[in-house]
Amino acid sequence: MSKIIDVSHHQGDIDWSKASKEVDLAIIRTQYGTNTIDRKYIRNIEECKKYKVPFGVYIYVTFRNETEALTQAKDFYNRAQGYKPLFYVVDVEESFGASIQNIVKGTQAFIDYLKIKGVKVGLYTGHHFYKPYKMDTVKNYDFLWIPRYSGTSALGKKPDFPCDLWQFTDKGSVQGIKGNVDLNILNSNKPLSWFTNVVNANEEGLTMDQYKELKKEMENLRKLVEGKVDLQSDSNVAATHKDAWDWAIREGIIKGDGKNMNPTGALTRQQMATMLKRYYDKYCNN
């Protein structure tokens, strides 16, 4: 099970050299409203970067109306954007005396402001808060995060509402962290890679942007070589290669009927890439 934690200065000085060995994603608080800045957020972010722990950020909001919500949204974004977090979360779980209507309007304004910035946005709200304060009417966020505890560090009853992250305990244990820490688990069809922007779990990692760029380049290569494999030729396949040639044609690794192509012609790197991609799609991408 992936260990997804959320932390603030309440966890003190985390030993990220140890925590990084079992934490797959960290969600770091930057502030409580606009006046209380988390005393450890810079350290936590810098340590996550140092030990290659993917991280997002969150703010515990205290707004009472739309104007205050926008002020906090701007402060939150300006404080965090330089660190390039994977996503931003607005934590709405208290009314602070505001009406339900103002809470909904403020939350929506907060989310919309961040979305205009082109970042991934999450909404965290209490299980007890979600329906009574009409958080179910808020739109435009990318993922929903809801807590529901069992009273222990074990998984209990899931949230009653569909959500992408489930904070299942505040009594979790992670090496490098003294005392308890919140633990979360994936609770929808969004994989961990959706939050971390990592497609392959290898040492270097392939980001989602890199993956999309690779797909784009492969499509360009496909268009470049399209039709070229069907050039007619009088060349014959050597007997020692005929079985492999026939197999490649039969399996679609090389396109065409295999008779009117040039089996002895030079193979470009882009043609090789296309053939390897066809092979991968057919035999490896299951």
Side-chain angles (χ1 to χ4, degrees), residues 132-250:
Y133 286 86
K134 297 186 177 181
M135 290 292 99
D136 57 329
T137 67
V138 176
K139 310 295 182 184
N140 202 29
Y141 53 81
D142 297 294
F143 66 93
L144 179 62
W145 179 17
I146 292 180
R148 192 175 199 182
Y149 303 155
S150 65
T152 69
S153 61
L155 291 171
K157 189 177 180 181
K158 287 187 176 183
D160 292 333
F161 322 108
C163 61
D164 303 293
L165 276 181
W166 167 24
Q167 188 182 77
F168 66 90
T169 184
D170 60 352
K171 295 179 172 61
S173 176
V174 170
Q175 60 176 322
I177 299 178
K178 297 177 182 178
N180 296 332
V181 65
D182 296 339
L183 292 181
N184 307 270
I185 191 171
L186 301 170
N187 194 54
S188 71
N189 61 0
K190 287 184 175 66
L192 182 65
S193 61
W194 186 90
F195 293 91
T196 62
N197 284 357
V198 175
V199 176
N200 292 329
N202 53 38
E203 184 176 353
E204 294 299 325
L206 181 65
T207 68
M208 193 66 72
D209 287 341
Q210 289 170 331
Y211 176 71
K212 290 178 180 177
E213 185 64 25
L214 178 60
K215 285 186 66 177
K216 181 180 177 181
E217 287 301 317
M218 293 304 298
E219 178 61 21
N220 290 337
L221 289 176
R222 184 192 67 77
K223 291 178 179 178
L224 283 172
V225 301
E226 200 170 53
K228 292 185 178 180
V229 291
D230 292 323
L231 294 175
Q232 292 188 356
S233 171
D234 294 330
S235 299
N236 294 318
V237 180
T240 53
H241 299 293
K242 192 171 188 313
D243 286 345
W245 178 262
D246 289 344
W247 172 86
I249 296 297
R250 186 172 60 252

Side-chain angles (χ1 to χ4, degrees), residues 1 12 18 22 25 44 56 60 104 118 121 131 133 179 185 187 191:
M1 183 176 68
K18 295 179 179 178
E22 56 180 292
L25 175 64
N44 285 333
Y60 193 112
V104 172
V121 182
K131 283 286 187 179
Y133 286 86
I185 191 171
N187 194 54

Side-chain angles (χ1 to χ4, degrees), residues 82 89 100 125 231:
V89 179
I100 293 175
T125 189
L231 294 175

